[in-house]
Amino acid sequence: MSTKQQSNASYVQGHSPSVLAAHGSRTATALCQYLLPTLHAFPSDSSPRLLDVGCGPGSITTSFTEHLPKSAQITGMDYSEDTIKPLNADSKKPGNVTFETGDAFKLRWDDNTFDIVHTNFVLMHLSDPVSVLREMHRVCKPNGVVACREGALSTTLYHPTSPPIERWRSSYVASFKAKGNHYDEGKELVTHCLDAGFELSGITFQSANYTHTNAEKGEGAGMLEWWMKTNAKRAREDEVYRKGVLEGGFCTEQELEEMAQAFEELSQVKGGVYSVWCGCVIARKADGDS
């Protein structure tokens, strides 16, 4: 099995419309606060290169244009051809952004190519995140940065919760464990960066929360309702997730439907909350590293 096939086989969520819709709502402004000062430090007349590994539907990739000089070169890469094809055909795509398929375990670029190498909620879906971090380190320029934000699923909080939602939570973690994936990667980021060859002196770590409530205003308004209804669709329609939890014996068809109904109910709770703790790391490549 190729490393690209391994990525595909270990990915718990799949690329159903509900998953792509959820991922397509993400932006650099919302999820990369820890990285923005680094991006904003580039001079306006510079041309930094950024690689977004595991870019999915490309919403974060494209939104990096709002935080980098106009002449920046931004590349989004994902193993899913069906996800990447429409992105390059999008007439609204900025001219300095390109997308391509590729293998995170074997990046096609030469050593020392990019100023920033970014990934978001990708390493947790892999059984060997250190190998991908080594590749990210390799293609990063000396004094450039590798930036990662990853969740820790054991911290996931739903309020108010219920037995079906707790069943979803336990079955979701169990499906990660069954594939050997790092469901708590947010907690392991510093260790894995060290294992990948970064020096401790070059690593900075922050924590953040990925949170939705019905009290959000502005761009976040209505996000809890939308997110819970998206989870309901996953329980009913996401073939990859459903196959994993059903064949693994982590839940039944009836329980999946009960989960979907519970999420729909939670979506309407005025005081409802969804939150997961995240680890965010910026690992700077040492000047002498190749």
Side-chain angles (χ1 to χ4, degrees), residues 49-51 73 75 109-110 112-117 139-142 144-145:
R49 295 189 66 181
L50 182 148
L51 175 64
Q73 300 174 51
T75 303
W109 293 275
D110 293 335
N112 309 324
T113 297
F114 295 95
D115 299 280
I116 313 106
V117 187
V139 302
C140 184
K141 293 179 181 178
V145 300

Side-chain angles (χ1 to χ4, degrees), residues 24-231:
S25 69
R26 298 170 175 174
T27 66
T29 301
L31 296 185
C32 300
Q33 289 289 328
Y34 73 102
L35 178 59
L36 296 187
T38 300
L39 303 184
H40 295 164
F42 284 99
S44 59
D45 59 350
S46 64
S47 302
R49 295 189 66 181
L50 182 148
L51 175 64
D52 192 12
V53 178
C55 66
S59 57
I60 292 178
T61 317
T62 301
S63 66
F64 277 129
T65 59
E66 302 171 13
H67 302 283
L68 284 168
K70 292 182 179 180
S71 57
Q73 300 174 51
I74 301 170
T75 303
M77 187 217 78
D78 200 274
Y79 76 84
S80 171
E81 294 182 8
D82 291 340
T83 301
I84 290 295
K85 281 181 180 179
L87 298 180
N88 282 319
D90 187 351
S91 61
K92 297 180 181 179
K93 179 180 70 66
N96 63 334
V97 177
T98 59
F99 294 97
E100 59 181 82
T101 56
D103 185 350
F105 289 92
K106 193 176 180 180
L107 298 173
R108 71 165 184 83
W109 293 275
D110 293 335
D111 297 357
N112 309 324
T113 297
F114 295 95
D115 299 280
I116 313 106
V117 187
H118 168 265
T119 193
N120 181 80
F121 278 71
V122 171
L123 300 176
M124 64 189 300
H125 293 283
L126 306 175
S127 59
D128 185 12
V130 174
S131 289
V132 172
L133 282 166
R134 286 196 184 107
E135 277 293 276
M136 295 171 73
H137 176 277
R138 181 184 65 79
V139 302
C140 184
K141 293 179 181 178
N143 205 39
V145 300
V146 168
C148 311
R149 173 175 170 142
E150 297 289 334
L153 294 185
S154 66
T155 70
T156 306
L157 176 151
Y158 296 92
H159 174 77
T161 190
S162 64
I165 287 179
E166 290 305 307
R167 187 68 172 174
W168 163 278
R169 201 159 70 103
S170 64
S171 65
Y172 195 44
V173 169
S175 65
F176 271 73
K177 289 182 176 179
K179 292 179 178 290
N181 295 349
H182 290 252
Y183 65 95
D184 264 354
E185 177 63 22
K187 299 178 182 179
E188 300 180 274
L189 273 175
V190 173
T191 298
H192 287 168
C193 283
L194 292 171
D195 291 344
F198 291 95
E199 297 179 4
L200 185 60
S201 60
I203 298 173
T204 58
F205 182 86
Q206 300 179 35
S207 64
N209 291 302
Y210 187 67
T211 301
H212 294 313
T213 75
N214 280 330
E216 291 176 82
K217 305 295 189 294
E219 292 184 1
M223 285 299 293
L224 177 70
E225 179 178 359
W226 176 80
W227 185 250
M228 292 303 100
K229 288 182 177 179
T230 296
N231 277 353

